[in-house]
């Protein structure tokens, strides 16, 4: 059995980079299983760290492209010395993924939790970004995130108000999202203060809704979640939408006039946006 804990302790982790290395061999095995790697797959690993997951990925994939920001971690990755491993010393948020290779990518990522939302936006593109180059390159994403963030990614309008929001809609608009497994804090070194979860995001070929104006839709959603204590109606009016149109749309949809934004499904937001744009 690989003793990941001892190996992790040799390495000085950097708090500023949000480094928490996954040291649970069973969880690493499960990540490999969930990634469903075929012999001709190219895997993009974001935040490869010192390579505990990387060294398993290279056994199964045609090619593994590991992106890592920390120079000292890069030195550890280089020790893997594998022909099918390409190491890129870069910040993933500044990397154009569409140029990395010819093939489609499967993404595996155990990322610093403080940049989860920006990374998801970078991989999928925003709601109104229909021709996003990164997204068109990606087939599937397996992501290790805080459990609380995982719950937000898979939430619906029936979830608790804190969970359902902009991240939910961004994630589900471009991907079919599910929680694969909950992962305890002791599976990491150093152990974070929160539990984690492994999430699957299967990228869609088309957005969740067919709309004529995606920019307008994004504006409506942003307004709907801008001030959570306010009603949807007041949020929309504060954001500059026409008061009469707002009242008419809400009554046409048969909604309670005191409803809050987080009680609308993504489909209802789509319908609202169509009515408001008329």
């Amino acid at each position: 059995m690989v003793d990941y804990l001892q190996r992790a302790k040799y390495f000085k982790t950097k708090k500023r980079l949000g480094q928490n290395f996954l040291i649970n061999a069973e969880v690493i095995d499960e990540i490999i299983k969930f990634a469903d790697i075929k012999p001709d797959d190219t895997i993009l690993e974001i935040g490869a760290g010192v390579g505990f997951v990387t060294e398993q990925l290279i056994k199964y994939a045609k090619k593994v492209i590991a992106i890592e920001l920390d120079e000292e971690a890069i030195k550890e990755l280089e020790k893997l010395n594998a022909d099918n491993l390409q190491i890129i010393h870069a910040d993933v948020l500044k990397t154009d993924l569409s140029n990395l290779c010819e093939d489609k990518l499967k993404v595996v990522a155990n990322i610093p939790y403080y940049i989860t939302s920006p990374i998801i936006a970078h991989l999928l593109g925003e709601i109104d970004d229909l021709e996003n180059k990164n997204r068109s390159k990606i087939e599937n994403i397996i992501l290790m995130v805080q459990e609380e963030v995982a719950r937000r990614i898979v939430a619906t309008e029936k979830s608790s108000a804190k969970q359902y929001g902009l991240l939910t809609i961004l994630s589900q608009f471009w991907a079919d999202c599910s929680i694969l497994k909950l992962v305890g804090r002791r599976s990491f070194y150093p152990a974070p203060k929160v539990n984690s979860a492994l999430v699957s995001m299967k990228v869609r070929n088309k957005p969740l809704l067919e709309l004529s104006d995606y920019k307008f839709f994004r504006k409506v959603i942003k307004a709907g979640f801008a001030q959570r204590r306010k009603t949807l109606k007041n949020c929309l009016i504060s954001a500059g939408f026409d008061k009469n149109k707002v009242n008419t749309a809400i009554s046409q949809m048969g909604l309670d006039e005191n409803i809050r934004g987080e009680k609308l499904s993504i489909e209802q937001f789509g319908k609202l946006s169509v009515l408001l744009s008329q």
Side-chain angles (χ1 to χ4, degrees), residues 168-221:
T168 312
I169 296 181
L170 170 66
S171 304
Q172 293 178 24
F173 205 68
W174 289 115
D176 183 16
C177 306
S178 58
I179 292 178
L180 298 169
K181 180 183 176 61
L182 299 178
V183 181
R185 60 196 78 179
R186 289 171 191 273
S187 292
F188 298 86
Y189 177 83
K193 291 188 171 71
V194 293
N195 289 327
S196 301
L198 203 55
V199 174
S200 161
M201 306 176 86
K202 290 189 167 67
V203 177
R204 302 177 187 279
N205 295 325
K206 288 182 178 156
L208 183 64
L209 305 178
E210 289 253 334
L211 298 165
S212 56
D213 190 342
Y214 289 89
K215 232 179 196 56
F216 190 81
F217 174 62
R218 188 178 165 194
K219 239 173 80 175
V220 171
I221 288 166

Side-chain angles (χ1 to χ4, degrees), residues 99-155:
N99 286 331
L100 293 180
C101 62
E102 291 297 305
D103 305 330
K104 278 262 195 180
L105 297 166
K106 284 183 175 176
V107 176
V108 172
N110 175 23
I111 52 178
Y113 291 164
Y114 69 96
I115 52 168
T116 304
S117 296
I119 284 182
I120 290 175
H122 186 60
L123 296 177
L124 295 178
E126 291 290 352
I127 286 170
D128 54 350
D129 190 354
L130 298 183
E131 303 299 327
N132 186 275
K133 287 194 298 187
N134 289 347
R135 185 181 62 247
S136 64
K137 198 76 185 157
I138 299 168
E139 192 180 311
N140 191 14
I141 302 165
I142 303 279
L143 205 55
M144 183 74 78
V145 296
Q146 278 183 21
E147 181 185 345
E148 177 200 322
V149 174
R151 303 258 179 231
R152 283 165 54 199
I153 288 170
V154 303

Side-chain angles (χ1 to χ4, degrees), residues 33-52:
K33 197 175 77 203
F34 286 130
D36 187 26
I37 304 167
K38 309 282 187 283
D40 57 352
D41 280 345
T42 299
I43 304 289
L44 172 65
E45 189 189 3
I46 299 171
V50 289
F52 297 163

Side-chain angles (χ1 to χ4, degrees), residues 68-116:
E68 176 54 55
L69 188 56
D70 181 10
E71 280 170 33
E72 284 163 45
I74 295 263
K75 286 174 195 156
E76 294 300 314
L77 288 169
E78 283 166 349
K79 292 177 188 169
L80 291 173
N81 200 9
D83 293 338
N84 62 338
L85 175 62
Q86 178 189 351
I87 301 165
I88 298 178
H89 181 202
D91 176 346
V92 68
L93 294 175
K94 295 176 183 154
T95 306
D96 177 355
L97 308 181
S98 64
N99 286 331
L100 293 180
C101 62
E102 291 297 305
D103 305 330
K104 278 262 195 180
L105 297 166
K106 284 183 175 176
V107 176
V108 172
N110 175 23
I111 52 178
Y113 291 164
Y114 69 96
I115 52 168
T116 304

